[in-house]
Each structure stands twice: as C-alpha cells, then as structure tokens.
Amino acid sequence: MPKTSIIIPCYNEARRLDLDGFTELAKKSAARLVFVDDGSTDNTQDVLRSLVDKIGKNAEILILPNNSGKGEAVRTGLLHAIDRGAAQIGYIDADMATPVIEVCRLMNALNDQPVDVVLGSRVALLGHCIERSPVRHYLGRVFATAASLTLNLPIYDTQCGAKFFNVTDHLKTALSDPFCSRWAFDVELIGRLNSLAGWSRIREFPLHQWYDRGGSNLSSVAMVWAFVDLLKIRRNLQKFSKR
C-alpha cells in the first residue's frame, strides 16, 4: 500500500478527465489514485473504469450514489484513504489543472519541510506560467480576500485544487464532520485545522505552472453561493473551536 493517496473528485467529468496525465502521475508519484465519482449522470464511471484498469493496482474508484457536492466527495475519499492506512493524503482536480510535475513538487514539499499541510497557490510571478481567465482571476482574488478575513489568516489562495496533508489526529478530527459548504469546503477545512493546531504547520507553495482547462462545474451562481457560505463557515468554525 503506497504511503500517499491522492483523491480526485469527479462529477460529469468524462470529457475533462486528463487520462494521460493521471497515467503519468501514477508512474511518477508512486501514490495511490482514488477517483470519487460523485453521482455522475454521464459516462464518467465508464471512463474511470478504463483508466483504473490501465493504471493497475494503485488506482481505484469510489462511487457515491447521489451527487453530494465536491466537498463531501473529497472528504469521503480522504477518510477512505486514512482507513486504508495512508500516511499522507491530498486532493487534486479531475482536469489536472495542476500538472504532474507540480503535484510531485507539493508531495515532496510535505516530506522536505517541517509542515503538516501544503497548499498549492496560484501566484502569477515572473518565470511562472499561471493561466487563468481574467474574470476568474479577479473573482478569485475577491473571494480569497474574503476567505482570508473569515479565517483571520494571511492566506493568498484557498481555492487552488491541490492540497496535501500528513495524516494526524488533528486532520482526522477536522474531517470527522461534513462540511457546511459544497464549494468553499477548502476554507472550512483550513479553518478547522487552524482551530485545532494553529497555522504554523500550514504552508502555501506558489505553483510554477497551473492551467485553466475550461468547462468547470463551478458556475457564476455557485461562486455567489460560495461567498454566502463564508458566513456559515465563520459560524461553524466558532462552534468547532469550542470542542
């Protein structure tokens, strides 16, 4: 059993799954890939079965009977990996907007740095290739500022879909309850970990490459609801910190 498991939440991703990318990732990372189908209504399951057959023993599919939202799909996959004995876990997006070389960098950072949480961060720096549409970039910056205020943490990018964790008792506790938000669950997870263990073991790592693949399930309406969810997350974190 590989010590690292990577969770990939999928909902109607048949056309967006980066099949070659995941095959390469399985070879280069030596991690177990856990694809969580979140009640897809297209042929995502068929595509995933073919991909898992191609990758072999270090890949599997979890099938959720109903669409529960990305947050619950990720949480289910992470808990499954912990139950299977993984020492490190993480999640990335089905379109592999964060390419293989960057996923491996984040995994290595978790091993090389005195941290328990590594967050990919999309910072447009000279010499880096961060491709995002202008609308998503500016909406993302506004949301990131609101999320940072909600968490009271100087965090640049809560919503990058590439995050890795050492499996600790604090992480298990943080994953014990469902998230209150379908899309802004990243904010709540970071907030729970901060409440339990403080931010000193959490680090953001600027990505060298990140590509907006287009066709995301995150609509403009969902973005608005994600802002509303920050209020619920703030209330829930206050309750969580009193445990």
Side-chain angles (χ1 to χ4, degrees), residues 8-219:
I8 305 98
C10 304
Y11 176 67
N12 290 350
E13 300 283 9
R15 296 184 179 181
R16 300 179 74 241
L17 278 160
D18 187 344
L19 305 183
D20 292 337
F22 284 116
T23 302
E24 180 185 357
L25 178 61
K27 292 178 180 178
K28 290 189 174 181
S29 69
R32 184 172 184 81
L33 306 186
V34 181
F35 298 92
V36 182
D37 182 79
D38 186 24
S40 294
T41 57
D42 65 356
N43 64 326
T44 293
Q45 288 185 28
D46 294 332
V47 175
L48 288 176
R49 288 190 182 97
S50 297
L51 177 59
V52 168
D53 286 343
K54 181 178 180 181
I55 293 174
K57 64 180 181 179
N58 280 345
E60 63 178 311
I61 309 170
L62 296 182
I63 298 176
L64 305 185
N66 302 302
N67 178 247
S68 302
K70 185 177 180 181
E72 187 59 18
V74 168
R75 192 179 77 93
T76 298
L78 294 176
L79 289 173
H80 172 80
I82 292 173
D83 288 342
R84 291 287 302 273
Q88 296 175 336
I89 54 179
Y91 57 92
I92 61 176
D93 290 330
D95 61 359
M96 290 209 71
T98 306
V100 172
I101 189 171
E102 294 295 274
V103 174
C104 291
R105 278 186 64 239
L106 294 177
M107 292 172 61
N108 289 336
L110 193 59
N111 290 316
D112 297 342
Q113 302 290 326
V115 296
D116 286 324
V117 182
V118 169
L119 313 174
S121 187
R122 297 163 295 185
V123 186
L125 301 171
L126 285 175
H128 293 203
C129 186
I130 307 297
E131 295 184 0
R132 302 178 73 184
S133 71
V135 172
R136 283 187 174 274
H137 171 72
Y138 290 113
L139 276 175
R141 294 311 317 134
V142 174
F143 184 86
T145 300
S148 179
L149 292 172
T150 298
L151 296 173
N152 195 27
L153 284 176
I155 187 167
Y156 182 85
D157 186 2
T158 59
Q159 300 310 108
C160 178
K163 297 177 172 65
F164 286 87
F165 313 83
N166 282 321
V167 175
T168 63
D169 289 339
H170 291 311
L171 179 63
K172 293 176 184 178
T173 301
L175 294 171
S176 60
D177 294 340
F179 301 113
C180 69
S181 173
R182 290 170 66 95
W183 293 104
F185 70 94
D186 307 77
V187 177
E188 191 169 4
L189 177 55
I190 295 166
R192 289 180 181 185
L193 289 169
N194 181 50
S195 296
L196 292 165
W199 60 266
S200 63
R201 303 287 292 182
I202 303 173
R203 288 289 185 276
E204 284 188 274
F205 282 81
L207 298 176
H208 294 169
Q209 301 174 49
W210 190 91
Y211 303 99
D212 188 345
R213 304 297 188 187
S216 170
N217 290 313
L218 182 58
S219 65

